[in-house]
Amino acid sequence: MTGKRLSGWDMEDSAWDAGNAIIRSAHLERRHKVRPSRVTLEQAQELFKTCMPVRKKEEKRSADCLGQILAKPVYAAVTQPPFPRSAMDGFALRSRDICRADIQHPVTLEVTGCVCAGQETEFMLKLHQAVRIMTGAMIPEGADCVVKQEDAEWDERAVRIYHNAKPGENYCPAGEDFSAGDLLAEAGTPVDSYLLAAVTAAGVRKLTVYKRLKAAVITTGDELQNTETSLQPGKTLPYSGFQPQYALLQPVFHSHPSQESSPASFCHKNLCG
């Protein structure tokens, strides 16, 4: 026996050959009424690990990685949000200008303009000024809070504020969700819809994941019949083989990180007689 290292394909072929040998052995034991040799669950798991090929990695579009497992950690490429933005429709202003505002003593400020979501603003607030602003819009320089429109009365030139506001109120700072370079997910994390949304928002276009496993489900028995033919007397359909077959389409996670698997491609063999 040489010291040649088996490739991934060689290991898959060896695992397939081993499976065929087990099936042939089971048929011989049944035919000659030989008491079958048995192994414990732990021994079977160890045998499976020795035949399991080394997981290969691949880099591909983030949107195509749903259900797979990260092979490398993912870091944010951009800051989110990239600028201070408003959490409400209302007025961006300086909190100290309305620190004494209440129902009996409203404060009136000059309205210098309006900023809608998606617009860049060059407004710079001065003393006793405010800017009409929409949810998600860039907060102008000088403002440190946003008063929601339900707490104000306004026209095109002025706004009357009936409540005070604290610095940072309704104000989403740049990087509130994450900053460029922040870790989003460790290697070994399953790629689900939530992670895909996060990496998309973080400007990550490609992920490095483990390739999907290939697996086979083999059912045996003289009573089994192929599902594509009419059921004959004394025969039954191999329904017990379909549960693990469909289970392979669901994410499966093992204790060893290198053996975490995503939904596998599979074939289902029905050996009758």
Side-chain angles (χ1 to χ4, degrees):
M1 182 175 180
T2 66
K4 180 181 177 181
R5 183 174 181 177
L6 294 177
S7 67
W9 284 108
D10 292 333
M11 295 182 72
E12 288 182 2
D13 291 341
S14 298
W16 185 261
D17 292 340
N20 287 333
I22 292 172
I23 295 171
R24 289 194 298 270
S25 175
H27 278 286
L28 289 173
E29 289 170 346
R30 183 176 56 187
R31 182 176 300 175
H32 298 288
K33 298 182 179 180
V34 178
R35 184 171 182 176
S37 58
R38 297 182 179 180
V39 295
T40 64
L41 174 61
E42 291 73 18
Q43 290 172 326
Q45 290 174 334
E46 289 300 320
L47 288 172
F48 177 77
K49 290 178 182 179
T50 60
C51 296
M52 188 174 181
V54 177
R55 296 298 305 276
K56 295 182 179 180
K57 303 174 184 178
E58 60 182 346
E59 184 183 60
K60 59 184 186 178
R61 288 194 325 140
S62 301
D64 297 331
C65 296
L66 184 63
Q68 292 184 258
I69 304 297
L70 288 179
K72 290 184 179 180
V74 182
Y75 298 90
V78 299
T79 296
Q80 189 63 246
F83 52 80
R85 64 185 179 188
S86 175
M88 293 282 184
D89 289 349
F91 292 86
L93 45 82
R94 304 188 314 169
S95 59
R96 59 185 175 180
D97 287 342
I98 60 168
C99 61
R100 299 180 182 277
D102 58 29
I103 297 295
Q104 286 76 30
H105 305 89
V107 173
T108 301
L109 303 177
E110 177 190 2
V111 176
T112 59
C114 179
V115 184
C116 296
Q119 292 182 340
E120 182 180 3
T121 177
E122 297 181 354
F123 289 117
M124 183 176 295
L125 290 186
K126 298 179 181 179
L127 187 67
H128 302 307
Q129 288 184 340
V131 169
R132 179 85 167 108
I133 196 167
M134 304 302 167
T135 302
M138 181 184 293
I139 294 179
E141 187 174 346
D144 64 357
C145 69
V146 173
V147 172
K148 60 184 180 179
Q149 61 187 18
E150 290 82 358
D151 293 334
E153 291 180 349
W154 70 95
D155 55 31
E156 294 181 358
R157 297 183 179 182
V159 58
R160 187 175 292 108
I161 308 295
Y162 290 91
H163 294 279
N164 59 18
K166 298 178 181 178
E169 188 169 332
N170 300 319
Y171 182 111
C172 303
E176 182 180 44
D177 296 333
F178 48 76
S179 299
D182 283 354
L183 177 67
L184 298 180
E186 296 277 7
T189 303
V191 181
D192 57 16
S193 58
Y194 298 101
L195 180 56
L196 281 182
V199 299
T200 300
V204 179
R205 298 175 181 173
K206 291 186 176 181
L207 298 175
T208 300
V209 294
Y210 289 110
K211 286 189 174 183
R212 299 183 188 274
L213 291 176
K214 294 181 179 179
V217 177
I218 302 174
T219 55
T220 64
D222 293 338
E223 77 284 5
L224 299 181
Q225 182 177 307
N226 194 301
T227 57
E228 298 178 359
T229 60
S230 299
L231 189 63
Q232 300 298 315
K235 299 292 185 178
T236 185
L237 298 177
Y239 56 87
S240 60
F242 288 102
Q243 189 279 328
Q245 173 180 328
Y246 297 137
L248 288 171
L249 295 175
Q250 300 175 348
V252 181
F253 309 107
H254 302 278
S255 58
H256 196 286
S258 65
Q259 294 179 356
E260 290 178 340
S261 65
S262 53
S265 59
F266 62 86
C267 66
H268 180 201
K269 297 282 186 182
N270 177 25
L271 303 181
C272 303

